[in-house]
Amino acid sequence: MSVSHPDYRLSQLDQLEAESIHVFREVAAEFEKPVLMFSGGKDSIVMLRLAEKAFFPAKIPFPVLQVDTGYDFPEVLECRDEWVARLGLRLVVASVEEAIASGVVVDDGRTTRNRMQIGTLLHAIEEEGFTAAFGGGRRDEEKARAKERVYSHRDEFGQWDPKNQRPELWSLYNGRIHSGEHMRIFPLSNWTELDIWHYIDREQILIPSIYFSHQRRVFERDGMLLTESEHNPLRAGETAEERTVRFRTVGDLTLTGCVESTASTTTEIIDEIAVARVTERGATRGDDRFSEAAMEDRKKEGYF
């Protein structure tokens, strides 16, 4: 004899999961050619896990797109390939190196590879004809991302106008676009970093090893600990040393810092994040430190 549970309310994680799955199914039904932007980081991996659940037992009905700066962490690329192989997905790699070689973007020696992702991404979306692109952005990450709606309209130039957002009352989404336009879709909008880690822990999700405590040769620059690398030559007065660190977010290794930490399990990371007072981007992403509006400026141009 089955026993009914006296409380039929979903947990917070279950509510977030249900909302995200609803978004995935809506987009798959409404848009002709969606794609999932997949960096291999924790947020995009959670997004891929949600997409897997949304369409199970069928395969995920859209490809994944990674914009490769050429400066990505090897551990992240390895994890990306494991996910793609396990789910049998089509992987589209938009290479910044190839975009520079073909003249799609210009390397002037001053612009970071992270910023050159913008032109590379927009070119890939246009080339493939994608009409909707899932992104792993969350509103708690950064001020500009807090302005995003779940459905974020991009014009024919791939640009975002924060003053021209569509209302989303009662979780009703307006996906109407004209030729050449596309939508950025953010299924994780209402999640926090702590929610992401609780979900990774609950679902036992495979993520890159660099999110956990490990030994790494690092040096300090602009208040961040950066990885020693051929792409990151030391400047005068900088010295590299081995420390026990982990990453809260991943991206271009020349701009992505790590934090000193001994957290080697998801439970220990949850305890660490629960008392953190700075978001992962604010603490460890150099590309957000160029100005107060650095992220918003990039998003207006077509950034993730």
Side-chain angles (χ1 to χ4, degrees), residues 59 83-90:
K59 282 190 175 183
W83 273 93
V84 168
R86 184 177 72 80
L87 296 177
L89 300 172
R90 176 188 168 219

Side-chain angles (χ1 to χ4, degrees), residues 17 46 50 53 191 195-203:
E17 179 188 70
V46 165
L50 291 165
K53 283 192 169 189
W191 295 59
D195 293 327
I196 293 292
W197 279 107
H198 277 297
Y199 195 72
I200 289 170
D201 182 60
R202 189 183 83 174
E203 300 286 311

Side-chain angles (χ1 to χ4, degrees), residues 219-226 232-235 238 254:
F219 61 93
E220 188 168 343
R221 178 181 296 167
D222 299 328
M224 296 188 301
L225 293 177
L226 297 177
N232 238 1
L234 296 178
R235 298 173 183 170
E238 294 177 339
T254 66

Side-chain angles (χ1 to χ4, degrees), residues 26-34 131-132 151 175-177 183 185:
E26 282 289 302
V27 171
E30 187 173 4
F31 289 90
E32 182 180 356
K33 200 171 181 182
T131 53
Y151 275 38
R176 183 173 296 177
I177 56 174
M183 283 285 184
I185 313 293

